[in-house]
Amino acid sequence: MKKIEIIDYQEIYHDDLKKISYEWLKKYDLLEPEDEKMLNNPKEIILNQGGFIFLAKYDGKIVGTVSLMKIDDYTFELVKIGVLEKYQGLNIGEILIRKCLCVARENKVKKIILFSNHILKHALDLYKRMGFKEVEFQDNKYKESDLKMEMIL
């Protein structure tokens, strides 16, 4: 069995990050300016603000990604989680989220939020299995999202 490795983002993986995110955003017609901004400037928007970007490597290829964007000292937002369609079903999304939960706890984060869309049924099922709960839909900065979830750590 091939091993799934989670690695930290480096600039050399920028094209992989974009490819993975664009695949699902375009498939579900959810691409918007906020996504473009984040995907074209991950270092400035996520990393330099105290966030994290992780990539899943499988069989030598980058096949999944997730980011934790810092909202404040106690709250992070889970953003741009995606796994290339060809590699879905290998629990890569769950492994990426578990990595985020570990890092969040290490950093004394109290709450992780995420915004999503009801058409992303598999993603929503995964979030619920991982312990995220749907909450009042407010403070939305994305045009294409229609629900908000959170997990208290």
Side-chain angles (χ1 to χ4, degrees):
M1 188 168 139
K2 297 175 182 167
K3 185 179 174 222
I4 298 163
E5 180 184 5
I6 304 302
I7 62 172
D8 292 333
Y9 174 82
Q10 296 174 35
E11 200 65 38
I12 60 169
Y13 299 121
H14 188 218
D15 288 343
D16 295 300
L17 174 76
K18 289 172 71 170
K19 177 184 175 187
I20 293 164
S21 294
Y22 280 124
E23 181 183 83
W24 69 267
L25 287 166
K26 288 181 177 179
K27 177 180 179 178
Y28 293 101
D29 196 27
L30 296 173
L31 185 64
E32 61 180 88
E34 191 67 29
D35 299 314
E36 296 274 9
K37 193 166 93 177
M38 216 178 290
L39 291 170
N40 286 313
N41 305 290
K43 187 175 177 193
E44 293 78 16
I45 306 262
I46 298 170
L47 298 176
N48 290 352
Q49 305 305 317
F52 303 89
I53 302 172
F54 302 108
L55 303 164
K57 199 173 201 180
Y58 180 78
D59 196 23
K61 298 179 189 97
I62 301 298
V63 300
T65 183
V66 67
S67 300
L68 270 176
M69 191 162 62
K70 185 176 182 176
I71 303 300
D72 58 42
D73 287 341
Y74 303 105
T75 309
F76 275 64
E77 181 183 350
L78 193 70
V79 293
K80 300 300 157 267
I81 182 164
V83 175
L84 291 173
E85 197 165 347
K86 178 179 174 182
Y87 298 92
Q88 291 175 5
L90 300 173
N91 291 327
I92 294 170
E94 182 175 331
I95 293 167
L96 285 164
I97 291 174
R98 287 193 191 286
K99 173 67 174 180
C100 289
L101 296 176
C102 286
V103 168
R105 287 183 178 108
E106 288 168 5
N107 285 275
K108 311 283 189 263
V109 171
K110 304 289 183 216
K111 178 170 60 173
I112 298 178
I113 64 170
L114 66 85
F115 293 91
S116 192
N117 188 295
H118 281 93
I119 64 172
L120 302 173
K121 301 217 182 296
H122 294 295
L124 296 177
D125 289 343
L126 172 61
Y127 302 146
K128 288 174 187 171
R129 276 197 325 271
M130 299 295 298
F132 284 88
K133 306 275 187 240
E134 195 166 343
V135 295
E136 182 182 347
F137 188 61
Q138 60 184 15
D139 304 322
N140 179 30
K141 62 185 173 195
Y142 307 104
K143 293 179 195 167
E144 298 297 334
S145 63
D146 63 4
L147 68 90
K148 180 179 180 181
M149 300 180 91
E150 71 178 26
M151 178 188 289
I152 305 298
L153 299 176

